C-alpha cells in the first residue's frame, strides 16, 4: 500500500514537472524578439534653436546596426545654391561604431572617414577636404523607435585648395586642420526595420 502511494506520488510529480516544462518551452518558442537594424537622425538642437550655423548640423545621419552592438555609420549633406554669396558644398561621412547597451542607454565609440567639396559662386577656386576622426557618444532610447543621441568627434582634415586664377602663390598650398566636431549637437533618431534575434 505504501509502495503504491509512493509510485502515485512519483507519477504525479513527474506529470506536474512535464506539464510545467512543456508550458515553459512552448512559451519560449512562441515569444519572438526583435531588434531594429536601421536608424535615421537629424540634429534637433539646430532645428529648435536656429542659433547654430555649423555645417555638421545639417547632416542626415544613417546607421545600419548589422549586430546589436555594432553599426556602420553614414552621413550626408548637400548645400547647393545659385545665390552669389553661396555655392556648392556637398559633404559625406562613412564610419563604424561599437558599444554597449545598459537599460535605455547606449554608450558607443568608433571612427569616421570624411570627404567634402566646396566651390563658392563668386570665386574661381574650389577645394577638397579629406579627413578622419574618432567618435565617442551616448544615446538614450525613449521607446523602441525614438532615441536621442549626442557625440563628440576629433576631426583631422587635409585640405586641397585649387584656385588657378589666383595671384597668391600660397592659394593652392595644401594644409592640415584639427578640430572638435559635433559638440552641442543632439540627434533625434528614428529606428525601423525589424530583424528577429
Amino acid at each position: 500500500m505504501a509502495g503504491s502511494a509512493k509510485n502515485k506520488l512519483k507519477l504525479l510529480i513527474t506529470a506536474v514537472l512535464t506539464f510545467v516544462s512543456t508550458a515553459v518551452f512552448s512559451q519560449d518558442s512562441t515569444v519572438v524578439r526583435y531588434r531594429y537594424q536601421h536608424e535615421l537622425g537629424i540634429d534637433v538642437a539646430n532645428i529648435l534653436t536656429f542659433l547654430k550655423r555649423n555645417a555638421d548640423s545639417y547632416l542626415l545621419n544613417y546607421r545600419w546596426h548589422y549586430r546589436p552592438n555594432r553599426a556602420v555609420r553614414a552621413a550626408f549633406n548637400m548645400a547647393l545654391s545659385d545665390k552669389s554669396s553661396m555655392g556648392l558644398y556637398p559633404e559625406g561621412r562613412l564610419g563604424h561604431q561599437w558599444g554597449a547597451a545598459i537599460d535605455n542607454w547606449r554608450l558607443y565609440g568608433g571612427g569616421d572617414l570624411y570627404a567634402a567639396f566646396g566651390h563658392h559662386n563668386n570665386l574661381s577656386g574650389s577645394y577638397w577636404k579629406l579627413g578622419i576622426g574618432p567618435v565617442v557618444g551616448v544615446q538614450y532610447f525613449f521607446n523602441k523607435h525614438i532615441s536621442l543621441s549626442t557625440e563628440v568627434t576629433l576631426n583631422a582634415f587635409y585640405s586641397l585648395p585649387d584656385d588657378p586664377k589666383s595671384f597668391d602663390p600660397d592659394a593652392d598650398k595644401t594644409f592640415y586642420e584639427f578640430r572638435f566636431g559635433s559638440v552641442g549637437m543632439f540627434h533625434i533618431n528614428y529606428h525601423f526595420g525589424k530583424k528577429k534575434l
Side-chain angles (χ1 to χ4, degrees):
M1 189 97 172
S4 70
K6 281 184 181 179
N7 287 340
K8 286 182 182 179
L9 183 60
K10 284 181 185 177
L11 280 173
L12 181 63
I13 290 172
T14 304
V16 168
L17 288 175
T18 304
F19 176 75
V20 169
S21 299
T22 306
V24 168
F25 286 127
S26 65
Q27 183 181 8
D28 245 354
S29 62
T30 57
V31 173
V32 180
R33 297 182 59 193
Y34 294 95
R35 67 180 175 85
Y36 294 90
Q37 58 181 349
H38 302 289
E39 175 183 341
L40 281 176
I42 56 170
D43 181 19
V44 70
N46 183 66
I47 293 171
L48 295 178
T49 63
F50 298 102
L51 297 176
K52 288 173 54 183
R53 289 294 173 258
N54 183 352
D56 290 349
S57 297
Y58 299 98
L59 289 170
L60 176 64
N61 296 277
Y62 170 75
R63 294 177 193 170
W64 172 48
H65 297 272
Y66 65 94
R67 288 189 185 163
N69 292 323
R70 294 181 182 270
V72 174
R73 303 158 46 91
F76 183 71
N77 179 27
M78 174 60 108
L80 172 63
S81 176
D82 63 353
K83 187 177 177 182
S84 60
S85 61
M86 304 279 293
L88 173 65
Y89 301 98
E91 64 177 293
R93 295 177 186 266
L94 183 63
H96 187 264
Q97 76 176 43
W98 57 92
I102 304 165
D103 296 328
N104 290 348
W105 295 89
R106 176 184 287 150
L107 304 174
Y108 61 89
D112 290 334
L113 297 174
Y114 172 87
F117 176 78
H119 176 73
H120 197 279
N121 288 334
N122 277 348
L123 303 174
S124 61
S126 60
Y127 67 85
W128 278 98
K129 189 183 282 191
L130 307 173
I132 189 169
V135 177
V136 176
V138 62
Q139 187 170 21
Y140 179 78
F141 289 82
F142 295 101
N143 56 44
K144 290 180 179 179
H145 291 286
I146 306 294
S147 69
L148 185 68
S149 61
T150 187
E151 60 189 35
V152 176
T153 61
L154 177 60
N155 299 317
F157 296 120
Y158 181 63
S159 293
L160 299 109
D162 180 26
D163 192 354
K165 295 183 179 178
S166 175
F167 296 107
D168 183 358
D170 292 332
D172 291 338
K173 188 175 180 181
T174 60
F175 60 92
Y176 294 96
E177 179 184 354
F178 294 92
R179 71 170 190 228
F180 284 104
S182 304
V183 178
M185 293 172 61
F186 288 92
H187 294 110
I188 190 83
N189 307 297
Y190 178 71
H191 301 259
F192 61 98
K194 275 187 178 181
K195 183 178 176 68
K196 288 183 183 179
L197 289 176

